[in-house]
Amino acid sequence: MKEEEIEKLRGVVRDCVSKHLYSSAIFFADKVAAFTADPADIYMQAQALYLGRHYRRAFHLLNASQIVLRDLRFRYLAAKCLEELKEWDQCLLMLGDAKVDEHGNITDTRDLNIMYLDKDGEDREINALECLTENHMLTCEEETRLLSSLNCGSEDGWLSSFYTCLMKKYDKKNVIETKFRELEQEDADTNSSEKTFLCTLRNNTDLLACKAEYYHQCGEYQKCFQLTSVLLEKDPFHMKCTQIHLAAAMELGHSNELYLMACNLVKDYPQKALSWFAVGCYYYCIKKFDQSRRYFSKATSLDGSFAPAWIGYGNAYAAQEEGDQAMSAYRTAARLFPGCHLPTMYIGMEYMRTHSFKLAEQFFMQARAIWPSDPLVYNELGVVAYNMKEYDKAVWWFERTLGLIASSLSETWEPTLVNLAHALRKLKRYNEAVTYYEKALALSTRSLSTYAGLAYTYHLQNNFTAAIAYYHKALRLKPDDQFCTEMLTLALVDESHLGISNNSDFHRSELLF
């Protein structure tokens, strides 16, 4: 058969696939492969069989060709067949029992002759970038190396920037924001067609969802929620945006929004893990942790690679101080998602809750290695140092935390300001401590710890009038607080003695607070 006739048949196969006529595609692909015995045509036949749900036959064809040992695409399609057949051990062997060269091609130790299927198509191939990033398979450093290895031409600069935004937002805030600006702003030097393209991209839902995720990671939950709300009005079924919206709503305590989202998702997508994750988020938000745990567990059973469900499952146990079960869930998540720092960080938090500060510090440092610029990790390291009475070190960590926050301080970071003030007070840097307590009060006036800390600092400075005022404010929030009650009595006595302080009393109260 002439090459023109064979190419015509290949076109028929592609046309059948595009029209979902898989039986016809299998028929014609079989004839093309029989005529040519070309590896590319064998692969096309296997793809048609896979799309037609003939998984066993497709795997047999790929395995019989022997090319499966030497070409990444053959190997990957064979593994996908085994996945559908639920033959997990064989699937793992197919994926793992080989060497991968610098070009991403599989070599078998018994045969080092590398084969490539489509030389002309290499410049337009799409790889598994989304699977690696969305499933948290790569660390920050590995993602950076992967990005730098992509051969994007000058005309594809937008794609490189887009990929950077899709990755974890682990770079410094100015780097990430620059990437968003590159995609959102029109360049005066571009021609009119490029300007039109960039204008379209500026309003792209995927890009804006990435921006919302960035806001969430920065702790700007209100901005994140507002953006996702707008996006979901435009595209109500955008799954990534929906996931970010749920996370922001839970952080903000919007239980009604979570309830409505969960109802709609369960109705429209009963087989998706995200739907039952939404139900779990609702119950977690209203503090019904048993029900929350049940639905997070259901989400993990539907999709074992859905990281938020595993973390939510662990958090639901942790909320009830069931540490062993929480640790088990976090360890599973840390094993499944090596590029996600959250499971490791939560393990550290569990160790800190049980006063195992050295172990907690080790896990926080591991989390920091995965995400070097997460302010929350630095805050937790500061808390560990404070509890270990390393106050200078604690101050350093808390100051680093504040330096990493992407925008102006929000109420989310009020505890960090209070923590820093406590550490400064321990170091007898009272004026600085007062400054940070006051900054914390500017963010939230509902914190007993802030009022008590500020009152006690004034007390240590012999400013009894201010100390008494703030002890009273603390007791309005919690009238039965033992520390504030005792210290208020001491402050009143001290004021009555015109500032004559009782050093032994102060030494005792230092241990109480």
Side-chain angles (χ1 to χ4, degrees):
M1 184 177 285
K2 295 180 180 179
E3 180 61 32
E4 296 82 15
E5 294 172 332
I6 293 173
E7 187 56 40
K8 182 179 178 180
L9 282 178
R10 290 182 182 126
V12 171
V13 174
R14 290 190 289 268
D15 184 59
C16 289
V17 168
S18 69
K19 294 175 180 175
H20 308 286
L21 302 173
Y22 300 128
S23 295
S24 298
I26 292 168
F27 174 82
F28 287 107
D30 175 69
K31 306 308 173 285
V32 173
F35 281 129
T36 66
D38 187 283
D41 293 326
I42 294 172
Y43 180 75
M44 181 175 68
Q45 182 187 0
Q47 274 194 314
L49 289 166
Y50 178 84
L51 292 170
R53 300 178 183 273
H54 297 278
Y55 305 122
R56 182 69 66 185
R57 187 180 170 196
F59 175 71
H60 177 75
L61 175 65
L62 292 165
N63 206 37
S65 69
Q66 297 299 313
I67 303 169
V68 70
L69 299 174
R70 291 176 282 144
D71 190 282
L72 180 61
R73 283 163 292 189
F74 269 64
R75 193 130 196 176
Y76 178 68
L77 185 55
K80 291 291 290 182
C81 292
L82 291 167
E83 178 191 24
E84 295 293 343
L85 295 168
K86 301 191 184 304
E87 296 185 6
W88 306 114
D89 291 338
Q90 290 296 316
C91 182
L92 286 173
L93 285 173
M94 181 60 65
L95 289 171
D97 191 18
K99 295 180 179 179
V100 183
D101 67 13
E102 62 181 351
H103 301 294
N105 299 289
I106 297 294
T107 64
D108 185 63
T109 53
R110 296 168 295 173
D111 187 352
L112 297 179
N113 295 319
I114 307 301
M115 295 192 68
Y116 301 90
L117 291 185
D118 185 8
K119 293 285 187 180
D120 297 329
E122 288 178 3
D123 63 340
R124 59 179 185 274
E125 290 178 356
I126 300 298
N127 56 35
L129 179 67
E130 184 179 5
C131 293
L132 291 171
T133 56
E134 291 297 317
N135 292 331
H136 305 282
M137 301 307 296
L138 303 177
T139 64
C140 179
E141 184 180 346
E142 289 169 338
E143 284 192 352
T144 302
R145 286 204 304 267
L146 177 62
L147 267 180
S148 63
S149 70
L150 300 179
N151 297 319
C152 293
S154 57
E155 71 279 6
D156 296 325
W158 67 271
L159 184 59
S160 178
S161 296
F162 210 121
Y163 278 160
T164 302
C165 294
L166 286 173
M167 298 289 190
K168 300 183 187 69
K169 318 302 182 292
Y170 287 176
D171 271 326
K172 294 181 180 177
K173 58 186 180 183
N174 58 322
V175 176
I176 296 296
E177 290 167 359
T178 298
K179 292 296 181 182
F180 280 121
R181 282 196 297 271
E182 286 177 4
L183 290 169
E184 292 173 339
Q185 295 179 356
E186 295 181 47
D187 189 341
D189 296 331
T190 58
N191 59 44
S192 58
S193 62
E194 288 175 327
K195 280 186 177 181
T196 303
F197 176 73
L198 288 170
C199 186
T200 303
L201 195 62
R202 182 173 55 194
N203 298 315
N204 181 262
T205 309
D206 284 342
L207 176 64
L208 294 175
C210 289
K211 194 165 190 177
E213 184 180 28
Y214 171 63
Y215 287 147
H216 184 272
Q217 291 182 351
C218 291
E220 299 183 38
Y221 303 121
Q222 188 60 45
K223 288 177 72 173
C224 173
F225 184 79
Q226 290 172 351
L227 180 54
T228 53
S229 297
V230 172
L231 291 178
L232 288 175
E233 287 182 9
K234 177 182 175 183
D235 186 352
F237 306 104
H238 193 287
M239 292 293 104
K240 181 173 181 179
C241 184
T242 300
Q243 179 183 323
I244 300 165
H245 187 73
L246 291 170
M250 192 164 72
E251 291 288 351
L252 295 169
H254 294 345
S255 57
N256 289 342
E257 179 71 12
L258 289 169
Y259 178 80
L260 292 172
M261 292 288 293
C263 289
N264 291 332
L265 285 166
V266 168
K267 180 184 70 174
D268 294 333
Y269 301 103
Q271 296 305 314
K272 278 193 173 291
L274 181 63
S275 303
W276 301 104
F277 171 74
V279 180
C281 287
Y282 167 70
Y283 281 113
Y284 190 95
C285 187
I286 62 173
K287 301 187 186 307
K288 292 188 176 180
F289 299 115
D290 288 333
Q291 293 95 321
S292 170
R293 193 165 62 235
R294 187 181 310 130
Y295 289 108
F296 285 140
S297 178
K298 182 168 184 175
T300 63
S301 66
L302 287 172
D303 183 359
S305 65
F306 189 58
W310 281 107
I311 294 170
Y313 188 49
N315 287 351
Y317 274 120
Q320 294 180 303
E321 297 189 357
E322 297 184 30
D324 291 341
Q325 293 91 334
M327 293 282 263
S328 177
Y330 294 144
R331 287 194 180 102
T332 301
R335 185 178 68 253
L336 292 175
F337 316 111
C340 181
H341 77 297
L342 292 177
T344 307
M345 184 180 71
Y346 285 129
I347 290 172
M349 288 180 175
E350 282 302 298
Y351 276 123
M352 188 162 63
R353 187 176 63 81
T354 58
H355 298 168
S356 301
F357 299 120
K358 281 293 184 184
L359 282 171
E361 185 177 38
Q362 290 176 18
F363 280 95
F364 289 140
M365 292 302 288
Q366 289 180 26
R368 178 173 172 252
I370 298 171
W371 186 353
S373 57
D374 181 8
L376 185 55
V377 175
Y378 287 79
N379 180 75
E380 298 306 308
L381 283 164
V383 174
V384 167
Y386 183 90
N387 281 290
M388 294 171 68
K389 303 187 186 306
E390 298 174 351
Y391 301 121
D392 284 310
K393 190 175 178 181
V395 167
W396 188 83
W397 285 120
F398 291 137
E399 287 177 342
R400 289 291 305 275
T401 302
L402 297 174
L404 288 168
I405 295 171
S407 61
S408 59
L409 291 175
S410 64
E411 188 174 347
T412 305
W413 299 108
E414 181 262 349
T416 302
L417 291 170
V418 177
N419 291 340
L420 177 55
H422 286 341
L424 289 166
R425 191 196 72 239
K426 289 288 188 180
L427 294 171
K428 303 188 187 304
R429 294 160 59 178
Y430 299 131
N431 291 333
E432 293 174 77
V434 167
T435 299
Y436 282 103
Y437 282 129
E438 290 175 343
K439 286 183 178 180
L441 285 175
L443 298 178
S444 173
T445 57
R446 300 187 302 273
S447 173
L448 171 69
S449 179
T450 309
Y451 284 118
L454 185 55
Y456 186 50
T457 305
Y458 279 131
H459 200 158
L460 290 170
Q461 291 180 299
N462 295 332
N463 187 344
F464 304 119
T465 302
I468 291 168
Y470 281 103
Y471 284 134
H472 277 299
K473 289 181 180 180
L475 288 168
R476 277 202 294 268
L477 294 174
K478 188 181 180 184
D480 61 345
D481 184 75
Q482 183 179 354
F483 173 80
C484 289
T485 301
E486 290 183 6
M487 293 308 300
L488 174 60
T489 302
L490 287 173
L492 290 168
V493 171
D494 290 333
E495 187 179 41
S496 68
H497 287 85
L498 300 176
I500 300 174
S501 62
N502 188 321
N503 290 327
S504 62
D505 285 337
F506 277 117
H507 179 68
R508 178 176 61 81
S509 61
E510 179 74 19
L511 296 176
L512 287 171
F513 191 73

